[in-house]
């Protein structure tokens, strides 16, 4: 009985919501016609360009990466095992200590008796590097900031 009442109620709602016309629609059928869709004015698009459109001088040598060689001799400051790391991004704290952005580390190498060499590449826009020497004795790292003006860096 409940199913019959539910069916009749649902049928009544569908019938009541459908149909109907009104409003003087002369097309008949009672279905209103949708309003025309307003399309925005087209904006001019940039002309399609290709590599052939570029004018590049033959002598242009664009290489945004620089090669560096770091030579470390911290044997007077480090006696045991140590590791040197090179960072491209860091901030100077009010205490004067440099705080590296650890994701900017681009190179690291173990030092033997405080000495070591490492070759690495970096983007040409880098002006200076932060070098940190970490020892296994629990002390804070030794730090040095070196300019990226030359490809041969020295600690």
């Amino acid at each position: 009985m409940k199913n019959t009442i539910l069916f009749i109620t649902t049928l009544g709602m569908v019938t009541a919501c459908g149909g109907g016309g009104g409003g003087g629609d002369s097309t008949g059928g009672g279905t209103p016609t949708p309003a025309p869709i307003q399309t925005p004015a087209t904006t001019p698009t940039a002309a399609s360009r290709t590599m052939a459109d570029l004018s590049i001088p033959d002598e242009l040598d664009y290489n945004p990466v620089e090669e560096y060689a770091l030579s470390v001799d911290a044997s007077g400051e480090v006696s045991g095992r140590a590791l040197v790391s090179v960072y491209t991004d860091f901030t100077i704290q009010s205490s004067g200590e440099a705080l590296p952005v650890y994701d900017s580390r681009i190179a690291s190498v173990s030092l033997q008796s405080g000495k070591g060499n490492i070759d690495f590449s970096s983007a040409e826009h880098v002006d200076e590097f932060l070098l940190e020497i970490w020892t296994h004795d629990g002390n804070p790292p030794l730090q040095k900031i070196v300019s990226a003006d030359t490809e041969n860096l020295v600690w």
Side-chain angles (χ1 to χ4, degrees):
M1 183 71 172
K2 281 186 179 182
N3 287 340
T4 306
I5 294 173
L6 181 62
F7 175 74
I8 294 172
T9 305
T10 305
L11 183 62
M13 291 172 129
V14 171
T15 306
C17 292
D25 185 15
S26 61
T27 60
T31 304
T33 56
I37 298 173
Q38 297 290 328
T39 56
T42 58
T43 57
T45 58
S48 178
R49 298 186 300 170
T50 66
M51 286 293 287
D53 296 332
L54 297 177
S55 174
I56 302 170
D58 290 336
E59 64 274 3
L60 178 69
D61 181 23
Y62 178 70
N63 184 4
V65 176
E66 301 286 335
E67 300 292 325
Y68 295 93
L70 171 63
S71 176
V72 177
D73 184 356
S75 57
E77 303 164 278
V78 177
S79 59
R81 295 180 1 180
L83 174 80
V84 64
S85 294
V86 181
Y87 301 93
T88 59
D89 195 10
F90 56 92
T91 57
I92 305 297
Q93 304 296 305
S94 59
S95 64
E97 178 185 7
L99 181 64
V101 175
Y102 291 106
D103 288 341
S104 75
R105 185 178 74 179
I106 57 172
S108 63
V109 69
S110 294
L111 300 177
Q112 301 298 323
S113 300
K115 294 182 180 181
N117 295 306
I118 186 170
D119 296 327
F120 62 92
S121 302
S122 180
E124 68 180 356
H125 72 273
V126 175
D127 295 327
E128 54 191 7
F129 301 104
L130 170 62
L131 309 178
E132 281 191 334
I133 296 179
W134 288 89
T135 58
H136 294 276
D137 58 8
N139 289 324
L142 302 172
Q143 294 184 325
K144 183 173 185 177
I145 296 173
V146 295
S147 174
D149 290 341
T150 180
E151 61 189 39
N152 294 314
L153 308 174
V154 178
W155 177 291

